[in-house]
Amino acid sequence: MTFRHLTVLILLVSCHDQSLPYEIVGDSILMPLTDTMPDAKRGKDLFSNRGDAHCVLCHMHDEAQVEFQGNLGPDLSGVGERLTPGQIRLRIVDYEFIRPDTTMPSYFRTHNLTQVRSDKIGKTVLSPLEIEDIIAFLSHHAD
Ligand code: HEC
């Protein structure tokens, strides 16, 4: 084996050694991203708030109290009946894992990011608890 082959090999190995802070099973992340108890009310605020998560830029939801809601993505009212919390989790964390050409941003992905501003390196768009709050909001059944 030449030195060049060895370099290629090492590169390949290091690419596969991206230890992610979560485990993907099928099209889900089964385990919550944090042990802290999530809060559906906070999740609803995050979902509706243009400043933070700006989900309403692209999604509608019956319970989001925002006048203008986008329709680039599917209506998420009742998404908890279509998708499990684990499926919703992967879709918020890293939709590109499911569909590489999606326009849905990845909110908790730290690998393979291009053009990351230097002050954002290693930081995700939303915190683990913020994502769990939003999952709690989207998964609860309206009563
Ligand atoms: C820039 C637009 C955009 C933003 C912002 C956005 N999404 Fe999406 N989202 C999409 C699109 C488009 C899809 C459909 C996936 C596809 O076709 O690639 C989608 C799909 C989803 C799905 C899967 C729905 C289903 O029925 O399969 C969930 C859940 C979701 N988004 C949640 C969120 C949440 C929560 C936020 C905010 C944290 C958010 N999205 C922000 C564009 C967006």
Side-chain angles (χ1 to χ4, degrees):
M1 197 188 299
T2 65
F3 182 68
R4 221 176 98 230
H5 285 127
L6 197 66
T7 317
V8 170
L9 198 73
I10 290 169
L11 276 175
L12 281 176
V13 169
S14 53
C15 285
H16 283 278
D17 188 32
Q18 290 164 342
S19 47
L20 299 173
Y22 49 83
E23 190 192 348
I24 298 173
V25 181
D27 73 338
S28 302
I29 299 171
L30 300 176
M31 296 294 289
L33 303 172
T34 168
D35 292 337
T36 312
M37 194 64 164
D39 183 281
K41 167 76 177 64
R42 259 193 334 248
K44 179 176 159 180
D45 291 345
L46 277 164
F47 184 91
S48 319
N49 183 328
R50 277 166 209 278
D52 297 319
H54 50 69
C55 312
V56 288
L57 272 180
C58 299
H59 293 286
M60 306 201 293
H61 194 291
D62 287 347
E63 292 171 52
Q65 282 131 5
V66 188
E67 202 173 340
F68 299 105
Q69 303 185 20
N71 60 5
L72 192 63
D75 186 334
L76 293 183
S77 320
V79 69
E81 273 130 53
R82 293 199 299 277
L83 300 174
T84 64
Q87 289 175 314
I88 295 175
R89 188 171 293 111
L90 177 57
R91 281 151 181 78
I92 301 173
V93 164
D94 187 0
Y95 212 117
E96 283 177 56
F97 181 86
I98 298 165
R99 183 185 284 192
D101 63 346
T102 188
T103 44
M104 163 100 185
S106 297
Y107 285 89
F108 194 71
R109 196 182 50 155
T110 50
H111 63 100
N112 291 349
L113 288 181
T114 49
Q115 299 176 322
V116 181
R117 274 168 42 200
S118 56
D119 58 329
K120 297 272 185 195
I121 287 175
K123 294 198 190 121
T124 55
V125 180
L126 293 176
S127 74
L129 184 57
E130 286 173 326
I131 290 178
E132 293 304 324
D133 288 344
I134 294 173
I135 296 167
F137 165 60
L138 292 177
S139 302
H140 85 288
H141 298 276
D143 37 24

